[in-house]
Amino acid sequence: MPATLSRHAIWESLPHHLWDVIVIGGGITGAGVAREAVRRGLKTLLIEQTDYSWGTSSRSSKMVHGGLRYIAQGEVRLTWHSLTERERLLREAPGLVERMGYHYAHFKGVFPGRWPFALVVTAYDFLARVRDRRYFKPSVFLQRMPGYRSAGLTGATRYTDALTDDSRLVQRVLDEAVAEGLTLINYVKAADLAMAGSRVTGLHLEDTADGGRALVSARTVINATGAWADRLRRKLVDEVRVRPLRGSHLVFPRERLPLAEAVICHHPDDGRVMFIYPWEGRTMVGTTDLDHREDMDTEASIHADEVSYLLRGVNDKFPQAGLTTADVISTFSGVRPVVSAGDGSDPSKESRSHMAWDDHGLITVTGGKLTTFRLIALDALKLAEPYLDREIRDTGEAVFSAPQPGPAPAGMAADVFARLVARFGIRTRDFLAEMPAEELVPVAGTATLLAELRWACRHEQVVHLDDLLLRRVRLGILLPGGGLDAVPALDGILSGELGWTADRIADERVRYAGIWRRYYSLPAA
């Protein structure tokens, strides 16, 4: 979005266009649909009811993976698609999507042992066209994972998957789409469908940030709202297909459990798979998999029993760590949009495949995995072909254009420069040209640069303080107290870039503190 175009100007312009495609939902699926639509010359608008990646796409486990358990469950096609897309993202977005080793420890008399596990991983690597499986004797594994439970340990297998910053992945996809003509606006709700007879012809919109209503017209509307997909679709079809499942995580200081790579293990109580892994200089523990029966308009948050469950799981594997609630920096919970089989089965056994439906011009797509967002987007657009009068084919084009950032600024470390390129892609050169040199410094011991906050306020549609600290940068989950007092220059940036008054800043700080305490901290006693 051009920096010169204000949010008000975008909102005022919306009714004056006949859009080819309106995408509802600013998570990774909606961003992917918008990216694939604009590259095909379709006049595309994306709206988001809250903030970009506010829902599932900022609160995932950050994993770009094939899903080792999916192949074990016989979902070979899903695994193959996921691994193919994983490798694509590793090539196209190095640094933002990074390969990481995952270790699975084997214990005497416990299934799966070395050879059954090796069989699954061999098939996994074959589908991905990589060969990186290794086996470690107990002593070598314990050197790599100090403090891991050693009683009965017979060895460990290492394979690889990948990690990302999910919110920045969404932002980079949006940046690519905007560069090709996407119009996008957050804090705009699809209040109702516009109809001509039985045919969906647009949307009635509500601006939840500044007030106002508008009617916009489109050849097709794509409902990419994930766990919220049934809400709009049920205006046309009396059917519930999405089973919202909550996954919660704990974030610890790295020094309390220092890991260089990830561990995949089973919880001692129910055998469910858990991950313990490094991310952004912290150690993450997740995830749960529970039916989420709470108000979907309220942010998901961890429950006390989930905290106990995750602590028991991590301490069972690393008994010397003795982690407690006092060690927790933050928590976060996301709601997965799983297309239910309708049989009330174990949540962890529900398929992670996606589905799409055409209901009179409303294309709804939901389910699936972060990793396969490109394929999900193409399936949604293929279903919209009759309304677009064109064929949608998978041309195999890259999601991400190759950045041309030029040389690193004098004195900037190579790893810092590489991180900027990974996060900002085609906008890196603009970032370095605009941002003050004195702000190219890290914030409070994190890898986040102060300039990243200024850039987000200037170019990434920050409406509230939580947009900035929880999604544009991740200080809200990396620092105690949500990082609210970790950036002395914050008020000056908010004032200078957003035009906020002292009173507005004070109100936003209070609002943010309440959000963080309720949804990103430990549950109240």
Side-chain angles (χ1 to χ4, degrees):
M1 181 187 64
T4 55
L5 205 57
S6 69
R7 185 179 185 281
H8 175 74
I10 297 171
W11 169 257
E12 290 294 319
S13 74
L14 299 185
H16 301 295
H17 300 278
L18 172 60
W19 303 95
D20 291 319
V21 179
I22 299 177
V23 182
I24 311 171
I28 190 61
T29 299
V33 172
R35 172 70 175 119
E36 296 302 326
V38 296
R39 79 185 328 159
R40 288 163 174 79
L42 297 169
K43 189 175 183 62
T44 305
L45 166 66
L46 181 145
I47 63 168
E48 164 56 47
Q49 179 172 310
T50 47
D51 185 34
Y52 308 116
S53 76
W54 177 87
T56 311
S57 295
S58 64
R59 290 176 271 190
S60 74
S61 294
K62 325 301 180 197
M63 294 184 185
V64 176
H65 66 149
L68 195 63
R69 70 182 176 90
Y70 305 142
I71 195 171
Q73 293 171 351
E75 294 196 74
V76 177
R77 184 177 178 84
L78 173 62
T79 310
W80 174 55
H81 283 163
S82 299
L83 289 169
T84 301
E85 293 301 298
R86 182 196 75 183
E87 293 302 305
R88 168 190 287 271
L89 290 168
L90 283 163
R91 292 192 304 271
E92 292 183 14
L96 180 59
V97 181
E98 297 184 281
R99 197 180 299 275
M100 175 171 283
Y102 284 64
H103 298 73
Y104 183 85
H106 305 292
F107 292 89
K108 186 176 181 179
V110 178
F111 183 84
R114 173 183 179 180
W115 297 114
F117 194 79
L119 183 64
V120 174
V121 174
T122 299
Y124 196 67
D125 283 355
F126 174 79
L127 293 173
R129 298 183 180 180
V130 299
R131 291 186 63 183
D132 55 12
R133 176 176 63 88
R134 296 182 64 188
Y135 179 78
F136 297 118
K137 294 180 178 180
S139 59
V140 177
F141 171 68
L142 292 173
Q143 289 175 357
R144 299 174 69 88
M145 297 289 167
Y148 200 86
R149 181 161 61 93
S150 59
L153 180 69
T154 60
T157 300
R158 178 188 183 272
Y159 66 98
T160 64
D161 261 318
L163 287 178
T164 191
D165 180 331
D166 45 6
S167 275
R168 290 313 305 183
L169 182 66
V170 171
Q171 189 64 49
R172 269 199 67 181
V173 176
L174 290 175
D175 285 345
E176 295 281 349
V178 167
E180 295 198 36
L182 174 68
T183 298
L184 76 171
I185 186 168
N186 54 358
Y187 292 95
V188 167
K189 178 181 180 180
D192 205 352
L193 299 169
M195 308 289 294
S198 62
R199 168 87 157 77
V200 175
T201 57
L203 292 171
H204 295 276
L205 303 182
E206 178 184 344
D207 183 347
T208 62
D210 299 322
R213 292 180 176 272
L215 171 63
V216 292
S217 300
R219 298 169 71 186
T220 190
V221 175
I222 297 183
N223 172 18
T225 54
W228 294 260
D230 282 334
R231 179 176 293 176
L232 196 61
R233 186 170 182 254
R234 289 194 72 188
K235 292 178 179 289
L236 300 173
V237 180
D238 186 18
E239 181 179 55
V240 175
R241 296 302 306 271
V242 179
R243 182 180 182 180
L245 298 177
R246 185 176 66 251
S248 297
H249 304 75
L250 302 177
V251 183
F252 293 97
R254 185 183 185 279
E255 57 269 21
R256 288 293 288 117
L257 186 58
L259 298 181
E261 294 189 320
V263 171
I264 176 174
C265 54
H266 295 279
H267 196 279
D269 294 341
D270 58 9
R272 194 180 174 279
V273 170
M274 286 182 57
F275 295 92
I276 307 167
Y277 53 104
W279 186 79
E280 288 288 315
R282 305 295 182 264
T283 299
M284 313 269 273
V285 176
T287 174
T288 56
D289 203 9
L290 303 167
D291 284 300
H292 185 71
R293 298 186 174 93
E294 299 169 19
D295 182 359
M296 291 293 291
D297 286 332
T298 300
E299 294 196 50
S301 59
I302 196 168
H303 291 202
D305 56 349
E306 292 177 280
V307 175
S308 299
Y309 177 90
L310 293 174
L311 281 174
R312 171 151 165 70
V314 67
N315 283 322
D316 178 74
K317 306 309 174 192
F318 291 92
Q320 298 173 22
L323 295 169
T324 71
T325 55
D327 297 305
V328 175
I329 296 174
S330 65
T331 70
F332 62 92
S333 301
V335 180
R336 305 180 187 93
V338 173
V339 181
S340 177
D343 57 5
S345 60
D346 179 346
S348 297
K349 294 181 180 178
E350 290 273 28
S351 173
R352 265 45 175 183
S353 296
H354 66 276
M355 291 191 70
W357 303 270
D358 174 12
D359 300 299
H360 310 290
L362 175 69
I363 307 298
T364 298
V365 60
T366 192
K369 292 156 51 61
L370 175 77
T371 313
T372 56
F373 72 88
R374 188 188 72 91
L375 300 180
I376 297 171
L378 288 170
D379 281 351
L381 287 168
K382 286 176 185 175
L383 204 55
E385 283 180 348
Y387 309 102
L388 299 173
D389 297 325
R390 69 181 66 191
E391 182 183 7
I392 303 296
R393 295 184 300 109
D394 184 358
T395 59
E397 292 179 79
V399 174
F400 299 106
S401 308
Q404 303 293 331
M412 178 177 284
D415 60 334
V416 174
F417 181 62
R419 183 178 181 278
L420 288 178
V421 175
R423 294 176 72 80
F424 296 102
I426 58 174
R427 303 302 307 274
T428 306
R429 184 178 295 179
D430 295 334
F431 179 94
L432 293 172
E434 289 185 32
M435 293 298 100
E438 63 273 16
E439 292 185 358
L440 299 175
V441 293
V443 174
T446 69
T448 302
L449 303 185
L450 181 60
E452 293 179 50
L453 282 77
R454 183 177 298 280
W455 174 268
C457 289
R458 185 177 297 179
H459 292 290
E460 295 178 351
Q461 291 191 353
V462 170
V463 174
H464 291 293
L465 189 53
D466 55 302
D467 304 339
L468 177 63
L469 295 181
L470 288 171
R471 289 173 288 277
R472 304 303 184 277
V473 300
R474 313 313 297 272
L475 298 179
I477 60 175
L478 297 177
L479 296 175
L484 198 55
D485 299 319
V487 191
L490 179 60
D491 288 0
I493 291 173
L494 297 174
S495 173
E497 298 296 337
L498 300 177
W500 288 1
T501 64
D503 286 345
R504 172 69 187 275
I505 291 171
D507 288 345
E508 286 287 339
R509 282 178 168 270
V510 170
R511 179 182 182 275
Y512 175 74
I515 288 171
W516 189 86
R517 281 196 303 271
R518 184 171 179 184
Y519 306 116
Y520 293 88
S521 185
L522 292 165

